[in-house]
Amino acid sequence: VQLQASGGGTVQAGGSLRLSCVVSGSIRSIIVMGWYRQASGKQRELVARLNPDGTTTYGDSVKGRFTMSRDIAEKTAYLQMNSLKPEDTALYSCDVGVLLTDSSTTIKRGQGTQVTVSS
């Protein structure tokens, strides 16, 4: 199972970016997908997570600005980020929990994509 995150870049404050995370490999289903970020010198924090029950959990600092969605057929998760702020600058990565073809489960973390917001 591999994850590929993309869509990061440099944007001015108030701008938007859309991140994508594609899951590849032999899996039976995706159980949970989440976006996390880690700014320089800070701990990794939850940005958004699509839960197994269909709900979405957002970090307090991004509520109302970020939206996470998923394309089940394409095994892809998206993070639409609007009204970006300089404090959103971080390395964004996706985690996924999957059900494998042998009925075991595993959690994978992808390499991140850098988001830089200039003031």
Side-chain angles (χ1 to χ4, degrees), residues 7-92:
T10 300
V11 64
Q12 288 190 333
S16 299
L17 284 174
R18 189 192 194 205
L19 306 184
S20 300
C21 177
V22 181
V23 181
S24 62
S26 298
I27 64 171
R28 184 173 294 178
S29 65
I30 296 173
I31 301 169
V32 61
M33 294 185 78
W35 285 100
Y36 294 79
R37 68 185 182 186
Q38 187 166 20
S40 179
K42 295 187 177 181
Q43 289 188 332
R44 194 171 189 247
E45 64 174 353
L46 173 70
V47 177
R49 182 180 64 238
L50 288 173
N51 302 308
D53 62 0
T55 60
T56 305
T57 300
Y58 291 97
D60 289 341
S61 61
V62 306
K63 286 180 180 177
R65 300 187 298 122
F66 291 10
T67 302
M68 185 174 180
S69 61
R70 173 179 154 182
D71 184 324
I72 296 175
E74 296 297 325
K75 294 187 288 186
T76 302
Y78 302 97
L79 184 68
Q80 179 65 42
M81 305 186 295
N82 298 328
S83 302
L84 283 162
K85 304 175 181 179
E87 50 264 43
D88 293 319
T89 296
L91 182 68
Y92 286 70

Side-chain angles (χ1 to χ4, degrees), residues 26-28 99-104:
S26 298
I27 64 171
R28 184 173 294 178
L99 178 65
L100 301 175
T101 54
D102 63 0
S103 298
S104 65

